[in-house]
Amino acid sequence: VTAYSNPFKDEIRFRIIPPVTGKAKIQLFDLQGRLLQEVFDENLIKGMPYDFNFPVRESMRVPMIYYFIQGEKRFRGKLIPGK
């Protein structure tokens, strides 16, 4: 999974190429580990690219960590707000 633009302003674009077929989630956390929002929860097919845009509310324009979770697979990345 990739997330851009990073630094972000009012939108984050996610691109997912799932490693397996099945239910997938993307969750956003603040740096203290609090869940801010689950932005994605769908079934995906292995290897099929999926793109979506997430509009970022003003109150969520803080440094965040995103987690992509699908079965036993888990990936994470950092998101930094722009000026």
Side-chain angles (χ1 to χ4, degrees):
V1 65
T2 55
Y4 51 93
S5 67
N6 198 10
F8 67 89
K9 290 196 180 193
D10 57 354
E11 183 176 83
I12 301 167
R13 182 173 179 85
F14 288 93
R15 179 166 181 80
I16 304 166
I17 302 177
V20 296
T21 295
K23 191 164 192 85
K25 293 182 180 188
I26 295 178
Q27 298 174 324
L28 300 177
F29 292 84
D30 66 17
L31 297 183
Q32 287 73 42
R34 293 180 294 238
L35 177 64
L36 298 173
Q37 188 169 344
E38 186 168 281
V39 298
F40 184 85
D41 184 2
E42 293 189 27
N43 286 310
L44 299 177
I45 298 171
K46 177 182 179 179
M48 299 221 22
Y50 186 83
D51 295 295
F52 75 97
N53 296 333
F54 172 67
V56 181
R57 298 186 315 264
E58 185 78 32
S59 63
M60 288 184 63
R61 293 183 188 159
V62 298
M64 295 184 278
I65 296 174
Y66 67 87
Y67 281 94
F68 171 79
I69 304 158
Q70 189 182 34
E72 298 295 316
K73 307 286 185 189
R74 179 173 231 169
F75 303 96
R76 72 178 178 152
K78 292 182 183 176
L79 296 165
I80 306 299
K83 295 181 180 181

